[in-house]
Amino acid sequence: MFERKYNPLAILAVSVSATLLAGCVHSRSENGVVAQAALIDTQGASIGSATITQSDPALLLKVRVSGLKQGTYAMHIHQIGKCDAPGFTTAGPHWNPAGKQHGLANMQGPHAGDLPNFNAASDGTANITVDLADMALASGAQPLMDSDGAALLIHAQADDNMTDPSGNSGARIICGVFSLAR
């Protein structure tokens, strides 16, 4: 009968490699960096939430909002984590670390904080998911969550994706300050 001989060091190496690989996959999916924001309207009422998850090499933004009229709205990430009502001007301009022009269709753009328009349903709700390519949440040369944080703003109108600095998107009607969570 044929007898198999196993090298104990090879078995240990395979076992350790498998354990490390499983740990890396597990830690990436469950221990990733996450920023969360509670969304408020101009009256201070809570109307939704936003989450940004680091998913190397990109970020994944998920937004849930209610209380809107059916229609198309602009949404942007602004560079300061502050939402003072009623105008939310304390959130500053769009997040724009590369100093580009505004607009997803602008040849000199876009700002890093420029996001696609979205539609609110007839019941006033919207669930939005956006991949933010080549961005970092809390580390790297120009992370979103820098010393003054960041905010998500929803504007009263659709973005024309060309006009600098804000795409003629109208008043700031919803705001949420991102904070890091683990």
Side-chain angles (χ1 to χ4, degrees):
M1 179 167 193
F2 178 73
E3 185 176 319
R4 262 191 195 161
K5 294 191 178 185
Y6 296 97
N7 179 337
L9 290 177
I11 293 171
L12 178 62
V14 169
S15 175
V16 169
S17 295
T19 301
L20 288 174
L21 180 60
C24 288
V25 171
H26 178 73
S27 66
R28 176 174 272 181
S29 64
E30 292 197 10
N31 296 326
V33 180
V34 174
Q36 298 173 326
L39 302 178
I40 59 170
D41 64 16
T42 57
Q43 304 303 307
S46 177
I47 59 163
S49 63
T51 303
I52 299 177
T53 305
Q54 183 72 52
S55 177
D56 293 333
L59 301 178
L60 181 65
L61 170 67
K62 291 187 176 187
V63 179
R64 300 184 89 173
V65 64
S66 62
L68 297 170
K69 293 179 182 173
Q70 184 176 8
T72 305
Y73 295 86
M75 178 172 62
H76 305 112
I77 297 173
H78 286 246
Q79 72 181 29
I80 300 171
K82 198 166 185 182
C83 289
D84 291 341
F88 302 128
T89 58
T90 53
H94 298 173
W95 182 44
N96 188 19
K100 296 192 174 191
Q101 294 284 313
H102 171 78
L104 298 173
N106 188 325
M107 295 300 287
Q108 288 82 39
H111 297 152
D114 290 348
L115 302 172
N117 291 326
F118 71 91
N119 293 311
S122 60
D123 67 356
T125 63
N127 294 307
I128 308 114
T129 300
V130 180
D131 288 318
L132 307 171
D134 300 321
M135 295 184 191
L137 187 56
S139 62
Q142 297 174 321
L144 174 63
M145 296 302 293
D146 59 9
S147 62
D148 62 6
L152 180 77
L153 276 108
I154 295 176
H155 295 261
Q157 301 166 185
D159 189 325
D160 68 14
N161 288 309
M162 288 291 293
T163 307
D164 198 52
S166 65
N168 288 327
S169 54
R172 300 171 180 198
I173 61 170
I174 296 171
C175 190
V177 174
F178 285 109
S179 60
L180 290 175
R182 289 264 179 207

